[in-house]
Structure formats: C-alpha cells, structure tokens
Amino acid sequence: MWASRMLIMTLCLSIAFGFLSQVVFSRMGILFAIAGIIFFIFISTIFDMVGIASASADIEVFKIWRSKKVEGSETGYRIVKNCEKVCNLN
C-alpha cells in the first residue's frame, strides 16, 4: 500500500518540479534560474541527509528516549521505524 502511495507522490513531485523548471524558469533571468536550481539541489540534499540518518539510526535509542519522554523522541522513533518509507523520499 505504501509503495503505491510513494509512487504516486514521487510522480506528482516530478511533474510539479518539471513544470516549475520549464515554465517558470524559462521566463526568469539567468540569475533567478540558477538560484532556483541551487534551491532544488539544497532541498534534495536535505532529504538525502534525513533518509541516510533514518536508515543508520538505532531504534533502541529512540525507544529509551521515548520511555523517558524526551522532547522529539516520538517523531524520531516514527522516522526510524519507517525508515524504508523515509529513504524512498530522497
């Protein structure tokens, strides 16, 4: 089920970014287009960092933090628990 949702989300994002780069960037000056491309690269790098971090994190640490009610541990636990889905986003 999640694989089909990821496929649809990936296709929608690809279409949206493709449309944005073709239509909007062609009407902008070269400096704005370069800034937009750098922005896309930056966003991609952030997603890659989160994906690699979620795949390499130890879930036991997040279980301990969650039991101690450390702030942000619930979100971290969910990200690490669903690392195959998170890694697919990058």
Side-chain angles (χ1 to χ4, degrees):
M1 180 69 177
W2 70 267
S4 60
R5 287 193 315 198
M6 289 295 150
L7 175 69
I8 291 170
M9 185 170 37
T10 302
L11 287 174
C12 290
L13 286 172
S14 295
I15 290 169
F17 285 133
F19 176 77
L20 183 69
S21 66
Q22 288 294 321
V23 174
V24 176
F25 288 162
S26 65
R27 295 179 184 163
M28 292 181 172
I30 189 74
L31 292 178
F32 289 116
I34 290 173
I37 291 171
I38 290 172
F39 175 74
F40 285 149
I41 292 170
F42 178 74
I43 294 297
S44 176
T45 303
I46 297 296
F47 276 108
D48 285 343
M49 289 170 51
V50 171
I52 294 298
S54 69
S56 63
D58 184 17
I59 197 164
E60 297 301 320
V61 174
F62 286 95
K63 286 181 182 178
I64 293 169
W65 288 346
R66 198 171 78 161
S67 68
K68 294 180 180 180
K69 301 198 186 309
V70 175
E71 184 178 347
S73 62
E74 183 65 35
T75 303
Y77 177 77
R78 281 187 280 145
I79 288 173
V80 173
K81 184 179 174 189
N82 297 309
C83 70
E84 68 279 352
K85 297 174 189 175
V86 173
C87 288
N88 196 26
L89 286 175
N90 58 13

